[in-house]
Amino acid sequence: MVSTYVTSSLILRILLVYLMVSRIAFAHDANEASAYTVQEIAEGNFVHEGNFPPQSLENRGDIANIGFIVGEKCVAVIDVGSSLHVGSMLKAAIQRVTRLPICAVIITHVHPDHLLGLNAFTKDDSITVYGHHRLPKQIRTRSRFYLESLEQYLGAGNTADHAIDPSLVTPVNGLLSIDLGNRVIELKSWDYAHTDHDLSVTDIKTGTFWAGDIVFSEHVPILDSNIRQYNAVLEELQKLDVQHYVVGHGSLDRPWDVLISEQRRYFRVLLREVRAAIVNDISLMDAVNTVGWTERDRWHNFDMYHRRNVTTSYTDLEWED
Amino acid sequence: MNFVKRILTFIGASLLFCQLALATPFPEPDHSSIPEWIMIKQLMFGEREIRDGSDDILALYLNTKLDDSSTVPIMVNALMDQTEDKYIKTLYLVIDRNPIPTAGVFKFKPEAGRVKLETRLRFEKFSFIRAIVETNTGDLYMDQRWVQVAGGCSAPSGKNANDPSLGKMRFRMDDQIRLNEPNLVQFQIKHPNESTLASDLEPGYAARFIDKVAVEFNGKSIMSGDINFSLSDNPIFKFYFSPQAEGVLSVRAEDTHDTIFTDSVEIGTDKR
């Protein structure tokens, strides 16, 4: 009798423990999913505002502004976050907003914080993935390293389920219109801007411009391309009639014109001072620590990315005639 | 209850551990006990002794804050003059954990006056970079630095291998060349210098990088190097030479597609 009591008490305790653990786990997931909010910045245009990079365990890689546009027929997703985890949370957020199916996933560029959540969407055959015509090549050459980094960040573990199949991408060269049902969105491939394969999206109905990482807000611009051509793209963007916008990183409630002007000022400083360093025979080793540092207090994550921007511009401009 | 506590503590600790691993820099390991280096050292130098040269033979410089693993500027300065009796004959640049660890083997002449080499390197993984010099007397000396950037070899250069300016060279030197003393000269070659790792993995496609450079002055060798894709795209070289007269400085580079690039520049004492 005593031993039966002990046994059942043990079973009870194990059950209790199991229940507590699973409830904690459940509560954790529920909290996180509801914490993953989207805001409707223009009619039918929903954005999740990510944290500032870099990714960490606290933000779980949720570091980019990503979102979706809802038509009367279906939904277009714009960027999918840095992991399956982020991609799934975006997908759940879409399902909370609408019952319409997802028909398009648009990848603005190859960087992992915009790309690696793609497989949360690709199981569905009715979804078309759109990217710049140079995106598949970028996926082929970079994804091995991105997956290794993701592995490092997730800790040990297998990231094979994050591997992106470049042949999934329907390439966009120039302009492409997609009808989501009484709502046409326009995709545009840019030549050399933030990268050599940026794709922007415009929702014609509301005049909402999804810039990907071509434009930054508060976060120091990142140059993974050619500074002179990037600068020309910004000039072009300043002429657009933008009613609402989404940029890949930083606050979305500052005037569009201010964002572009700030970024052009940064590039002006970079161009002027890098050219001066080259003329004055200041080596690249020294230039990264001197050029453009007056801009330091004006941007988030300056120390993390500015030297790289100097390197990218210096190694290009040193070939100028 | 204890069980739950233990689970939560374990989860908490493992979270914390990952965070620390990410937030704190990877600690610099002991440079002499790196497994890759022990093997490379044996293959390149056998049982020969490599002494610490950082006091009086050579110094290796690079920035400690690095952001671009595909373009890491480095500088090696000899701390001794080149004389007929004692001079640096060879400079080896070794990156322990690169696909081809020997990034470059450079030959220098006693007439250089002093040895210096500035170039830019790619790093595929966290690694030591080592500068090892061999003197005419056969002695080996080393200086090394720990580098924490990765992915440089597999990063695509973003440049087109069919660039019409492929092989274009740029020279740079002081306005006034001084005879019989070390003058700095720099040349750079437009070339993707691409790595096999960054290549598109298309069947039949062979990566293209420069594997030989040779610099002559009035037909006499002043510097040469066996290199590979551990050097950044558009490879750059800056070094000393001591001209005894005016003349022509010429560069010849050869890549793995057997293309030869040549260019030359006239050097005078009162021109430019």
Side-chain angles (χ1 to χ4, degrees):
Chain A
M1 192 64 192
V2 171
S3 81
T4 316
Y5 171 76
V6 170
T7 315
S8 57
S9 150
L10 190 67
I11 291 170
L12 264 175
R13 277 164 67 187
I14 291 170
L15 263 174
L16 189 67
V17 165
Y18 171 77
L19 280 173
M20 284 183 69
V21 171
S22 58
R23 277 189 65 186
I24 290 166
F26 175 75
H28 180 67
D29 279 359
N31 278 338
E32 193 169 38
S34 60
Y36 193 89
T37 54
V38 291
Q39 49 164 327
E40 191 170 8
I41 55 136
E43 188 267 313
N45 288 249
F46 296 83
V47 187
H48 171 76
E49 270 194 60
N51 301 280
F52 272 115
Q55 63 181 18
S56 68
L57 277 159
E58 283 100 43
N59 63 39
R60 302 196 69 182
D62 173 15
I63 55 166
N65 301 331
I66 59 181
F68 53 97
I69 302 174
V70 183
E72 286 177 11
K73 239 172 42 196
C74 62
V75 178
V77 180
I78 299 160
D79 283 345
V80 287
S82 64
S83 66
L84 283 176
H85 170 77
V86 179
S88 308
M89 292 215 293
L90 177 65
K91 197 175 178 184
I94 294 169
Q95 286 159 351
R96 286 199 299 274
V97 167
T98 176
R99 290 184 163 189
L100 291 173
I102 298 167
C103 52
V105 174
I106 299 150
I107 303 297
T108 60
H109 63 293
V110 80
H111 290 157
D113 48 333
H114 300 260
L115 169 76
L116 288 184
L118 183 59
N119 291 349
F121 296 90
T122 48
K123 285 191 188 78
D124 187 345
D125 286 343
S126 59
I127 294 179
T128 309
V129 179
Y130 295 93
H132 191 287
H133 63 93
R134 295 194 192 107
L135 179 68
K137 176 177 173 156
Q138 291 289 338
I139 292 174
R140 281 201 297 278
T141 53
R142 296 195 193 203
S143 61
R144 185 182 67 92
F145 183 66
Y146 286 165
L147 292 180
E148 273 175 22
S149 310
L150 185 70
E151 223 154 87
Q152 240 165 17
Y153 152 70
L154 292 173
N158 193 346
T159 52
D161 52 351
H162 284 74
I164 308 290
D165 175 2
S167 70
L168 283 179
V169 177
T170 299
V172 179
N173 191 354
L175 291 174
L176 177 76
S177 294
I178 304 174
D179 189 358
L180 307 176
N182 200 22
R183 182 182 290 267
V184 173
I185 59 171
E186 192 178 76
L187 279 51
K188 178 177 164 73
S189 66
W190 299 83
D191 208 9
Y192 291 91
H194 167 59
T195 64
D196 71 350
H197 58 280
D198 293 291
L199 193 64
S200 65
V201 182
T202 305
D203 174 39
I204 307 286
K205 202 172 188 175
T206 58
T208 306
F209 185 71
W210 294 67
D213 279 0
I214 302 177
V215 179
F216 285 80
S217 173
E218 299 168 322
H219 188 286
V220 68
I222 297 172
L223 177 61
D224 192 2
S225 157
N226 172 301
I227 187 168
R228 286 171 287 176
Q229 279 162 285
Y230 194 169
N231 214 17
V233 167
L234 289 175
E235 266 174 59
E236 202 177 326
L237 291 187
Q238 203 151 25
K239 291 177 201 142
L240 292 183
D241 180 23
V242 172
Q243 299 298 313
H244 310 273
Y245 69 83
V246 180
V247 294
H249 301 281
S251 153
L252 300 176
D253 50 19
R254 308 169 66 232
W256 172 249
D257 204 49
V258 170
L259 262 56
I260 308 259
S261 302
E262 286 176 349
Q263 191 162 334
R264 289 187 64 189
R265 183 201 64 227
Y266 175 74
F267 284 154
R268 264 201 310 277
V269 171
L270 207 53
L271 276 165
R272 187 179 61 227
E273 295 189 16
V274 166
R275 282 180 175 138
I278 292 166
V279 168
N280 295 322
D281 205 14
I282 293 168
S283 72
L284 174 61
M285 195 189 285
D286 295 330
V288 294
N289 293 321
T290 56
V291 163
W293 281 74
T294 49
E295 286 281 313
R296 187 185 194 181
D297 295 335
R298 296 177 163 175
W299 302 99
H300 277 270
N301 287 339
F302 184 88
D303 289 11
M304 209 176 298
Y305 297 105
H306 175 70
R307 288 187 186 83
R308 196 194 164 99
N309 289 342
V310 175
T311 301
T312 307
S313 6
Y314 190 108
T315 51
D316 168 43
L317 296 173
E318 68 190 348
W319 289 95
E320 262 184 326
D321 286 316
Chain B
M1 205 54 209
N2 265 338
F3 178 61
V4 177
K5 252 190 187 164
R6 280 218 315 269
I7 288 182
L8 290 180
T9 315
F10 173 73
I11 293 171
S14 57
L15 288 181
L16 196 67
F17 173 76
C18 294
Q19 216 170 351
L20 284 174
L22 291 168
T24 58
F26 200 80
E28 177 171 336
D30 170 21
H31 77 84
S32 59
S33 61
I34 304 292
E36 287 91 344
W37 167 240
I38 292 170
M39 202 164 78
I40 297 160
K41 187 181 166 197
Q42 179 64 38
L43 285 170
M44 286 177 71
F45 305 108
E47 299 302 320
R48 294 167 67 191
E49 187 193 358
I50 303 179
R51 277 174 274 186
D52 173 18
S54 60
D55 278 342
D56 47 2
I57 307 293
L58 81 160
L60 168 64
Y61 299 93
L62 46 84
N63 284 330
T64 49
K65 289 206 169 145
L66 296 166
D67 310 76
D68 188 345
S69 53
S70 69
T71 313
V72 177
I74 67 132
M75 173 163 74
V76 180
N77 280 346
L79 303 175
M80 54 177 267
D81 285 331
Q82 298 283 88
T83 63
E84 287 294 337
D85 292 341
K86 190 172 185 189
Y87 62 93
I88 291 170
K89 196 172 70 173
T90 313
L91 165 65
Y92 304 87
L93 294 178
V94 174
I95 301 169
D96 292 357
R97 303 184 67 202
N98 263 12
I100 301 181
T102 311
V105 179
F106 300 92
K107 305 272 187 203
F108 293 94
K109 301 284 173 189
E111 297 83 32
R114 191 165 257 250
V115 163
K116 175 195 190 72
L117 182 72
E118 284 183 48
T119 186
R120 298 174 191 159
L121 300 174
R122 292 186 170 122
F123 284 78
E124 182 61 11
K125 292 178 172 167
F126 289 7
S127 173
F128 274 101
I129 155 85
R130 301 165 195 276
I132 300 146
V133 294
E134 182 169 1
T135 61
N136 59 322
T137 50
D139 296 316
L140 295 166
Y141 300 92
M142 178 165 78
D143 191 13
Q144 71 285 323
R145 291 285 178 277
W146 174 238
V147 173
Q148 289 190 64
V149 280
C153 294
S154 46
S157 71
K159 277 139 195 141
N160 190 349
N162 300 319
D163 189 334
S165 55
L166 178 80
K168 180 179 171 183
M169 289 192 209
R170 275 274 165 97
F171 291 92
R172 188 164 188 149
M173 58 206 77
D174 284 344
D175 291 343
Q176 291 263 307
I177 288 292
R178 298 168 308 273
L179 295 182
N180 303 310
E181 60 178 288
N183 290 261
L184 274 175
V185 54
Q186 173 182 304
F187 73 92
Q188 188 171 15
I189 309 169
K190 191 97 172 165
H191 196 289
N193 215 38
E194 63 191 349
S195 126
T196 44
L197 297 181
S199 72
D200 227 348
L201 303 177
E202 280 165 22
Y205 182 82
R208 179 173 201 173
F209 58 88
I210 296 179
D211 53 3
K212 275 186 172 48
V213 288
V215 190
E216 291 183 347
F217 184 64
N218 288 341
K220 207 178 157 200
S221 170
I222 55 173
M223 194 279 272
S224 66
D226 292 329
I227 60 170
N228 55 66
F229 58 77
S230 283
L231 271 67
S232 309
D233 56 349
N234 305 331
I236 187 166
F237 307 87
K238 191 170 186 176
F239 54 95
Y240 283 123
F241 90 115
S242 299
Q244 274 128 28
E246 299 185 345
V248 177
L249 185 83
S250 60
V251 173
R252 181 181 189 280
E254 196 176 328
D255 76 10
T256 50
H257 286 200
D258 292 334
T259 309
I260 290 165
F261 309 98
T262 55
D263 203 354
S264 60
V265 62
E266 264 186 57
I267 292 191
T269 48
D270 57 358
K271 66 185 285 283
R272 285 167 34 91

